[in-house]
Amino acid sequence: MSQSPSPSPPDSFDIAVTVTLSSTVPESTKKSNNKKTNTVKNKTETKNKQLKFKFSPASENYVDFMNAVLSSHSLSKFGPASLSARFPMRVYMPPTKKSDAVDIEKFSEYKNIIEIALSRSTLPKSMTVFISLDNIKAFGKKVKSSTGNNDDGVDISSESSSDTDQETTHVGDNLEQELGRLRGLLEDKYQNPNDAGYTYICDSGDRLPLTPFMMKEWARALFDHTASINMPPNSITFDPAYRGRSILTKSAAAAPTTSSNSHDGLAHVSSIFTSLTTLLSNPSSVLHSASLSLPAPRPITPTSVSTPPINTPSKLDRFLTYAETQLGVRQASSYAF
């Protein structure tokens, strides 16, 4: 008769845990005989809490157990615990003697005691964990130091507002990181191909240089869901009517006038050369003539004096765009604000 295969050993067990917290508190204050000094006597208080936990020899289980221990005594504000931020504990698990309780300060020690319990023929039914409030406070300072909020020398348990301040700081850091990520998306999309500037092309074809202030406003609007990557915020800052057209557009419009003026100048020079050719072909007329009739000079038409143009905010943008695209001034458009 074949024997049935032996069952595989379990990889976890679920038991009740008693967490004992010890803390040192002043018991009384006594005056000495000379009445000049006071003597403070301390005593140790303990509090017990119950929890149920499923143990396994895994690093995630070790971290979860430390956080469960903190939560049982409402000490989660000192955490969270992690593989790099730990606190010491003393563990007693029957049938071992209470005097043989094991100190656990790192994951390898936790894994060892759990594997020993799993290897026994009878799984443990209970566990007692001893922790010290002083160790928890030192652990809490280490956690705050690792997150950039180092308040060494301050009793964390007495600062009721410190947790709220820390949460506010974390929210502010997350906001700045998200705004930076959104601005990076805008920079990737609207980077100029030939320089370090940024330009948004409107539906009308107008080129709108994007200054650092405008990029910041657009990123905030993306965060608030009032704009998209392809559509800027609906504000005066991004309205082409208030910022003027590109200087390149006006230069192109002025090109026909320049061509017309150059054509008139060439015609005038041509007439002068024609007159000189006629005089040089008959030199006797120059020697015997008392006066030389030259072509009448062209009348100079006085130009009308116009008032100087009025400076507007849009001219600065056009000038900076021209300096950046035509004169090679890098990031000139960023000086608009």
Side-chain angles (χ1 to χ4, degrees):
M1 182 176 180
S2 60
Q3 296 180 351
S4 59
S6 59
S8 58
D11 56 359
S12 64
F13 58 93
D14 194 347
I15 60 175
V17 180
T18 301
V19 181
T20 301
L21 174 67
S22 62
S23 59
T24 303
V25 296
E27 182 180 16
S28 62
T29 302
K30 296 182 179 180
K31 291 185 178 181
S32 60
N33 295 330
N34 56 15
K35 299 182 180 180
K36 292 183 179 181
T37 59
N38 295 332
T39 302
V40 179
K41 185 178 179 181
N42 295 328
K43 68 175 182 178
T44 302
E45 288 186 350
T46 59
K47 294 182 180 180
N48 296 326
K49 299 292 182 180
Q50 295 284 336
L51 63 91
K52 200 169 184 64
F53 192 80
K54 185 175 183 179
F55 291 90
S56 66
S59 59
E60 297 84 357
N61 186 262
Y62 174 48
V63 173
D64 291 342
F65 179 62
M66 286 190 292
N67 288 318
V69 169
L70 292 175
S71 179
S72 65
H73 282 276
S74 301
L75 298 175
S76 298
K77 63 181 180 180
F78 294 103
S82 64
L83 290 177
S84 59
R86 309 175 299 272
F87 57 88
M89 64 182 78
R90 192 172 180 86
V91 176
Y92 159 67
M93 188 184 307
T96 59
K97 298 179 180 180
K98 194 172 183 179
S99 58
D100 296 333
V102 179
D103 292 321
I104 297 179
E105 298 181 352
K106 54 186 178 179
F107 168 63
S108 59
E109 297 170 344
Y110 176 85
K111 179 181 179 182
N112 182 58
I113 192 175
I114 299 302
E115 288 180 342
I116 291 176
L118 289 172
S119 64
R120 293 172 179 167
S121 58
T122 303
L123 294 176
K125 297 181 180 180
S126 65
M127 175 190 292
T128 303
V129 178
F130 302 93
I131 58 175
S132 168
L133 183 59
D134 292 337
N135 291 335
I136 299 301
K137 289 181 179 180
F139 153 77
K141 291 180 181 180
K142 181 179 179 181
V143 172
K144 294 195 70 175
S145 177
S146 65
T147 58
N149 296 315
N150 190 357
D151 292 333
D152 289 341
V154 178
D155 188 351
I156 304 176
S157 63
S158 64
E159 296 293 334
S160 60
S161 62
S162 61
D163 298 328
T164 304
D165 295 339
Q166 184 176 0
E167 293 176 1
T168 303
T169 302
H170 289 168
V171 172
D173 293 341
N174 293 335
L175 175 61
E176 291 299 327
Q177 293 176 1
E178 181 63 14
L179 291 178
R181 185 187 71 82
L182 294 174
R183 179 164 178 168
L185 296 177
L186 294 174
E187 291 176 350
D188 293 341
K189 184 173 181 62
Y190 297 106
Q191 170 75 52
N192 293 338
N194 300 324
D195 54 53
Y198 308 95
T199 303
Y200 170 72
I201 302 178
C202 306
D203 294 338
S204 60
D206 292 334
R207 297 172 59 84
L208 189 62
L210 299 175
T211 65
F213 175 82
M214 297 170 69
M215 296 288 279
K216 183 177 181 180
E217 180 180 344
W218 196 341
R220 181 68 199 205
L222 288 175
F223 181 82
D224 295 335
H225 302 288
T226 58
S228 65
I229 293 292
N230 299 319
M231 183 62 64
N234 185 18
S235 64
I236 295 178
T237 307
F238 291 87
D239 191 346
Y242 288 91
R243 305 190 64 85
R245 290 178 172 271
S246 171
I247 193 171
L248 301 176
T249 306
K250 290 196 172 183
S251 299
T257 304
T258 305
S259 177
S260 176
N261 292 338
S262 62
H263 176 74
D264 293 342
L266 290 174
H268 179 61
V269 173
S270 177
S271 65
I272 293 176
F273 274 105
T274 301
S275 300
L276 289 175
T277 302
T278 303
L279 293 174
L280 294 176
S281 64
N282 188 10
S284 59
S285 61
V286 178
L287 298 175
H288 299 288
S289 299
S291 62
L292 180 62
S293 61
L294 296 176
R298 293 187 53 170
I300 300 176
T301 305
T303 59
S304 59
V305 179
S306 60
T307 58
I310 301 175
N311 292 322
T312 61
S314 62
K315 286 186 178 181
L316 177 60
D317 288 334
R318 298 199 300 273
F319 170 73
L320 294 177
T321 303
Y322 178 81
E324 189 173 71
T325 58
Q326 300 298 324
L327 303 181
V329 180
R330 294 176 60 85
Q331 298 183 351
S333 60
S334 64
Y335 294 95
F337 292 90

